[in-house]
Amino acid sequence: MESLNTSAQINAPQAAILLFGATGDLARRKLYPALYQLYRQKKLHPSFFVFGMARRPMDDETYRALVAESLENPDEQFLRHCYYQSLDVERLEDYERLQRRLLDLEASAGTAGNRLFYLSIAPDHFEPLAHHLKESGLVETAGFRRLVIEKPFGYDLPSAEKLNRALCQVFQESEIFRIDHYLGKTMVQNIEVIRFANSIFEPIWNNRYIAGIQVTASESIGVEERAGYYDRFGALRDMVQNHLLQMVAMVAMEPPSRLETEAIRDEKVKVLNALRVLSGAEIDHALVRGQYVRGIVDGEIRRAYREEDGVDPRSTTETYVAAKIYVDNFRFAHVPFFVRTGKRLRQKITEIVVQFKDVPWNLYVKKSGRLEPNRLIIRIQPDEGIHLWLNTKQGGDRLRIAPVDMEVSRFTGIGFNSPEAYELLLYDALIGDSTNFTRWDEVAASWAWIDPIAKRFKEKGEDGLKFYPAGSMGPELADLLLSKEGLHWWEGTQA
Ligand code: BG6
């Protein structure tokens, strides 16, 4: 399936890729494999180098061995493009040393002074790092300078604003690429294509025909080694503020007038600004907050969240959130959007379900009973696909109507945490296309919606927190969110 991203035809310019956090999990699991794929597909300019930095002292050879470990069939040629220097983010001298070494490397590699700074480090370091980049002169370069920054972009709106102010003293908005790796997923990019390149959906994509929209991002994994971060952030900040709200924006946005970065982002931000902000008891009614307890996932007993290493045994952090959201605009007035996400759920699924309203006059009710509504399902992972559920007559004499799934799907073979999204995003950053990155006003609008909810969750603590067994689909209360509207969660498409 082709994505909206047409950038594959553009040649990436020569560049130095400066990776802060070079020994971290993200770098090893995603960034090196993604860079290597780009290299193998000849999408990197021949004049490039990767310059890794982390606190640990190491020479280039040791670093190359570390990079090689994260690659399948590593190629010596590629590894020769990798260099390393230890760096303490707080120490200005380290940046100055880096600057000197870079000037030499740039001259020999012919990267024209183009510098891509990639921050894959703990968020507490973002601000001092940006400050030191400026002070050391690292951002004064003959070529382009771009900053790619991983989430979380702030903890709430005030901290995100503070961070943004610090970054804007060093980089311009157009040079900042805020990663939301869901925007690098093929089927997320496909939402706009499905909507805007087909004439059959757009006329019915509104409150006259749509009964409700569901966005599910369930995971079967737990918190893994990230308890320190996760116990502070929880599912609301970790998944809803970014990935889920971005998917809602793409489903609900108006068609942009041009297929251009800012035109697309302008439409997305309008949706985020139109989210109905909730407060107090409204939050208790529209959101379900859960935490997993012991249970069985994929045949294995899994411990409770509170028993995970590094988690406070009395933690009230949510590992599951379901929410009913309204987009208060002309197109989607009164259409409920239901989003849910959680750890240690039955299976890993990300999908969007658009449920259409019932036929106005059901001719078949007497003979065949209630008809299933039409549903359009955009399946993002683990398999990628589009499903359209229609009612048809089943064989035989009796009038029997049953739903059929008109399906186009493919199993990509792409594992979870695959570097594929990172390949697309790194490539986009290199060619300077920020369409699939979040603009500051989108981030700010998301936090503005999240903040009162996060505050309420904190105030309520254990009160209202629903425990669900690992391996289930979350707290039963989440079913009620939909049943109150005469709907239910779609559990139909199997992996
Ligand atoms: C990350 C979250 O942004 O997304 C993780 O921090 C989550 O908690 C991950 O596991 C899910 O990404 P994917 O691509 O595996 O769906």
Side-chain angles (χ1 to χ4, degrees):
M1 270 169 237
E2 285 304 311
S3 77
L4 179 71
N5 190 333
T6 52
S7 52
Q9 294 100 40
I10 302 170
N11 291 329
Q14 53 277 68
I17 300 162
L18 308 169
L19 181 55
F20 296 85
T23 54
D25 197 47
L26 184 89
R28 289 159 180 251
R29 280 206 326 217
K30 304 203 182 177
L31 303 180
Y32 298 136
L35 283 167
Y36 188 46
Q37 279 306 318
L38 291 174
Y39 169 81
R40 294 226 295 208
Q41 294 159 15
K42 303 206 176 347
K43 286 188 175 169
L44 293 182
H45 191 284
S47 297
F48 84 97
F49 62 91
V50 177
F51 197 98
M53 281 151 290
R55 201 184 272 264
R56 186 192 314 174
M58 186 178 359
D59 58 19
D60 290 344
E61 284 313 315
T62 317
Y63 176 57
R64 287 172 187 171
L66 178 143
V67 174
E69 266 174 35
S70 58
L71 307 180
E72 254 177 60
N73 305 323
D75 165 349
E76 252 326 293
Q77 292 290 337
F78 173 77
L79 296 171
R80 263 188 248 145
H81 289 264
C82 302
Y83 302 88
Y84 182 86
Q85 179 196 299
S86 70
L87 179 131
D88 176 344
V89 277
E90 305 286 342
R91 273 171 50 126
L92 181 60
E93 306 91 89
D94 287 0
Y95 296 80
E96 290 165 346
R97 198 156 49 93
L98 169 65
Q99 168 75 329
R100 289 193 293 277
R101 190 149 174 228
L102 271 185
L103 290 172
D104 284 349
L105 276 174
E106 287 175 332
S108 55
T111 51
N114 291 333
R115 294 180 179 177
L116 186 78
F117 299 91
Y118 197 117
L119 270 49
S120 168
I121 50 173
D124 302 345
H125 297 319
F126 292 164
E127 282 186 52
L129 194 141
H131 180 72
H132 284 136
L133 286 182
K134 188 174 182 183
E135 259 190 295
S136 60
L138 273 162
V139 287
E140 305 306 324
T141 179
F144 69 65
R145 61 212 190 136
R146 295 187 190 131
L147 179 78
V148 182
I149 183 163
E150 276 291 334
K151 62 177 274 253
F153 200 92
Y155 180 76
D156 51 16
L157 183 57
S159 58
E161 279 171 336
K162 183 164 168 284
L163 169 61
N164 202 51
R165 269 196 303 276
L167 297 183
C168 287
Q169 284 173 11
V170 186
F171 295 92
Q172 300 189 355
E173 172 63 33
S174 61
E175 296 170 329
I176 305 176
F177 291 68
R178 296 177 195 80
I179 292 248
D180 182 321
H181 78 283
Y182 270 54
L183 300 184
K185 293 186 189 282
T186 308
M187 286 308 291
V188 172
Q189 298 187 351
N190 233 321
I191 297 170
E192 289 169 69
V193 183
I194 293 165
R195 288 188 54 198
F196 304 140
N198 294 296
S199 61
I200 58 171
F201 296 123
E202 213 37 36
I204 54 172
W205 208 265
N206 55 50
N207 57 5
R208 266 170 292 155
Y209 296 98
I210 293 180
I213 293 176
Q214 299 174 22
V215 182
T216 294
S218 64
E219 296 190 90
S220 51
I221 57 167
V223 284
E224 302 188 294
E225 274 88 56
R226 300 159 72 226
Y229 151 82
Y230 195 87
D231 207 33
R232 249 187 92 217
F233 277 72
L236 183 72
R237 290 182 167 95
D238 183 51
M239 292 289 290
V240 183
Q241 182 269 332
N242 37 66
H243 311 321
L244 272 80
L245 290 186
Q246 281 291 324
M247 288 191 276
V248 168
M250 293 178 90
V251 170
M253 70 191 262
E254 291 300 315
S257 52
R258 296 175 309 282
L259 209 52
E260 287 170 12
T261 304
E262 300 315 331
I264 295 169
R265 291 158 137 198
D266 286 347
E267 296 307 333
K268 277 165 61 188
V269 80
K270 282 186 208 162
V271 176
L272 297 169
N273 281 323
L275 297 177
R276 186 182 301 170
V277 176
L278 305 171
S279 62
E282 286 168 349
I283 295 173
D284 306 340
H285 292 131
L287 278 102
V288 175
R289 186 164 57 105
Q291 191 189 79
Y292 61 84
V293 293
R294 228 168 240 250
I296 297 173
V297 187
D298 291 333
E300 282 193 47
I301 299 180
R302 298 293 183 182
R303 56 191 168 173
Y305 177 68
R306 288 176 174 181
E307 295 165 345
E308 301 273 17
D309 296 336
V311 170
D312 176 354
R314 285 164 311 155
S315 171
T316 56
T317 299
E318 76 286 352
T319 59
Y320 173 98
V321 178
K324 180 165 76 170
I325 299 176
Y326 283 102
V327 178
D328 285 338
N329 64 16
F330 200 86
R331 187 191 280 262
F332 277 113
H334 315 301
V335 177
F337 284 68
F338 299 97
V339 303
R340 63 176 164 168
T341 185
K343 299 272 185 207
R344 283 275 183 253
L345 297 177
R346 192 162 56 232
Q347 56 189 139
K348 168 91 178 178
I349 287 178
T350 308
E351 69 184 1
I352 296 167
V353 180
V354 181
Q355 179 172 331
F356 293 94
K357 287 187 174 168
D358 291 334
V359 287
W361 182 250
N362 182 355
L363 295 170
Y364 304 100
V365 70
K366 281 207 184 108
K367 296 210 163 137
S368 201
R370 193 177 169 271
L371 295 183
E372 277 296 309
N374 295 134
R375 290 188 178 92
L376 173 71
I377 295 155
I378 300 174
R379 178 83 156 193
I380 292 155
Q381 53 189 20
D383 47 335
E384 298 181 337
I386 305 168
H387 301 251
L388 184 62
W389 285 83
L390 303 173
N391 288 312
T392 58
K393 181 182 179 309
Q394 297 292 287
D397 295 339
R398 274 186 51 234
L399 184 59
R400 207 162 61 82
I401 292 178
V404 290
D405 179 7
M406 308 272 293
E407 171 201 0
V408 194
S409 64
R410 63 182 185 131
F411 190 74
T412 55
I414 295 167
F416 303 132
N417 286 322
S418 77
E420 203 208 30
Y422 277 88
E423 257 170 73
L424 288 169
L425 296 175
L426 269 163
Y427 180 76
D428 282 357
L430 282 167
I431 62 166
D433 181 347
S434 44
T435 314
N436 296 314
F437 295 81
T438 42
R439 199 169 64 185
W440 162 245
D441 52 357
E442 296 176 65
V443 177
S446 315
W447 279 124
W449 187 81
I450 291 284
D451 277 2
I453 299 171
K455 186 164 161 269
R456 182 76 175 177
F457 282 8
K458 187 154 185 252
E459 277 164 13
K460 302 218 53 162
E462 186 143 342
D463 181 17
L465 182 67
K466 303 286 168 203
F467 294 95
Y468 61 95
S472 68
M473 270 316 269
E476 281 170 14
L477 192 65
D479 298 344
L480 207 65
L481 278 185
L482 282 86
S483 58
K484 281 195 268 185
E485 309 285 337
L487 304 169
H488 58 84
W489 290 110
W490 172 250
E491 309 287 357
T493 329
Q494 293 307 311

